[in-house]
Amino acid sequence: MHISESRRGAGIAPTSNRLLGGLFAAGVALVLNLSAPAVAPAKPPATPANRNTMGAAAVDSARQLAADREPGTWMSAGRTYSEQRYSPLTGVNKASVKTLGLAWYGDIDTERGQEATPVVVDGVLYVTSAWSLVKAYDAATGRLLWAYDPKVDRATGQIACCDVVNRGVAAWKGRIYLGALDGRLIALDGRTGKVAWSVQTTDPKQPYTITQVPRVVKGLVIIGNAGAEYACRGYVSAYDTQTGKMKWRFYTVPGAPGDPTNTPELKRALATWTGDFWKYGGGATAWDTILFDPKTNLIYFGVGNGLSWSQQIRSPGGGDNLFVASIIAVNADTGRYVWHYQEVPGDEWDYDVTNPLMTADLKVAGRLRHVLMQAPKTGFFYLWDARTGKLISAEKFAPANWATKIDLKSGRPVENPAVRYTDTKAAIVQPAPLGAHNWHPMSFSPRTGLVYIPVTESSTGFASVKPEGFKINDRSYNTGTISGSEAITKLYAQPGAPARGNIRSYLQAWDPVAQKEIWRVPEKDYGASGTMVTASDIVFSGDWSGMFSAFDARTGARLWSAPVAANVVAAPSTYTIGKDQYVAILVGARGLPPGVVRTSAVSANNSRILVFKLGGKTELPGAPVGAQAAVAHTLNPPLMTGTNEQVIDGQGAYARTCAGCHGAGGVADKSIPDLRYSAALSSLKDWNDIVIGGARKAGGMASFKSVLADGDADAIFHYIVSQANRDKAAQQAAAKGH
Ligand code: CA
């Protein structure tokens, strides 16, 4: 048993009796470490050092359940079924971390966002990159053992809301399981990377994608999908790991009245909707978190937004719109509904609650509770009873204006009416759709009792498009919203309005029992990166300044940093081979950190897998590669030639079709070209060759001919030229010191 030192010192009186209803009146909170000891187990790990088993991927239920008995293995993305991303290893500790250096690295041959957590089992490190590529390395030396490319049609990029990313693999009984962007679930031989079986989990004619990690539970591989910004109906399915045969499927939103897939709970859910939302699927995709809890035999998943975001369009009569923005718990054997908790009834701000879930045993108000935890987009940190889904507590971990609090009795938010919008009423909402915390893995230490969350603060404006004449196009965003208008600008000018756009970001240590922040480390450059914590009380995380760092888990003091020449969004993992502890992190995201140039021949954003160990002496390449080394930061658009009407039409068409990838207002926020800087702005013909002709299909920019109306491509061109000229004038004014 470990008593949280930091909490004992800090005093943990309840932060808010109003909300917590005296739950914490007992005062001192204990955190019990019910799992394995924080030191090496009595029985040494059988596999990593034994080269005969290398690549065996020999994970089964018993081994995964006993993950703490082999702390040197990281056999699933979240390490254990609890997905706490806590490592019992202590080889890298506060005294030794200063000598941590690069042991080996591998260049990743894509230049989009890299979001996978490396899985390390039986001596092999498995990692995925953008476009669903898989690579297997000798975890000690970095020798590439095999690589697999599912050859996803690059046109799929058109329907991937948020970049063509992948968050990693599952290992099970000799095989490696991958969810590919185009909806395939693929089983690979762990030793060779050869395909054992492949199934299409989605209708390829519909705009479904997969970016999440498959989870294996009792011989079934569980997978959901994404696409709720386009036009589809969310579901989670279970497939037999050996044969690829589907065992069960759970739809997250009702089909049409009378649809045979409407289970009793979906029939009840139907009553919380109005209109004919089911014609377009309703959205509600479960695109990231899936968590299995052996104690309750439940599988939990978080459900995303409804389609459209605008409730005026989606469900004109209002309603909760179940199971949009809900946590759903199903029986792990049957996939049958057990309970749900809707975090955002009638959501219309893209508050997906697909963000990481974890289970833990916490002493709350003197009582040991088996809890489920989440820090979703909404800015509230939730603690539920894992068995029943009953809300224990919920408090804001970041600024949020959409609700003042969560009522513990009803479990419902006390919503701020000002944040609802229509086609005649604009609103400001905080956090913005990317959330206070998105998919980036958080971690929990049973020793400190703290959760380590990458927090981003933001706000945005919303208004609905007019419902009359609104048409769904399943190759483009159908959010039914406008984020820029005069009415929104006016709202932002009012006293007390939050700052617009991205405000700040920080690594936060959160006490889930007291529901309060213990420390935070502000980020120099805005952005979120996944976290991991170890038994030596070190939190590891990257950032958007091009650094990978170790922090004191109790104080936030920075103990060590290494430059990684890339932005970091993914979370690290750690493992041992022989006596050495290794720390692995996949790097690469939108663009490059300030001052960093291209140093990779195969990736414009320097995507790499980096593996550190004590005394590591490997150096990253430093010399610029090729002509693209210099990053253009000065706007140089042509003069405006379009009409005002074209610019206005272009703004609308851009928001519907392009903004999802290329960023709101033409300002890129992902690892996708910022069009204001595009060389194609010098020629409307070049532009149309790309947008209509599909000249950049191989890079993921397929033709939008079937998506855009006549004249839209020209209009978008003129809109981007207009935006670039406006921003160029702002750059020049700033340079002059105005
Ligand atoms: Ca969403």
Side-chain angles (χ1 to χ4, degrees), residues 229 287 305 309 350 352 377:
E229 270 73 32
W287 57 263
N305 61 277
W309 291 356
D350 187 30
D352 303 329
K377 284 183 173 187

Side-chain angles (χ1 to χ4, degrees), residues 171-250:
W172 194 259
K173 293 191 176 175
R175 286 179 181 163
I176 296 299
Y177 295 87
L178 164 75
L181 190 71
D182 55 16
R184 278 176 291 165
L185 177 65
I186 301 169
L188 302 171
D189 184 293
R191 289 183 198 267
T192 64
K194 292 222 158 56
V195 175
W197 56 256
S198 171
V199 293
Q200 185 69 38
T201 69
T202 58
D203 175 356
K205 290 194 204 74
Q206 295 190 51
Y208 285 106
T209 50
I210 297 180
T211 58
Q212 75 195 150
V213 183
R215 269 73 164 189
V216 179
V217 179
K218 300 176 164 185
L220 297 180
V221 55
I222 319 292
I223 193 82
N225 44 53
E229 270 73 32
Y230 295 84
C232 63
R233 180 184 180 197
Y235 57 84
V236 173
S237 324
Y239 292 84
D240 185 296
T241 44
Q242 293 311 298
T243 63
K245 197 165 172 264
M246 193 174 90
K247 292 292 184 185
W248 55 256
R249 175 162 289 178
F250 187 99

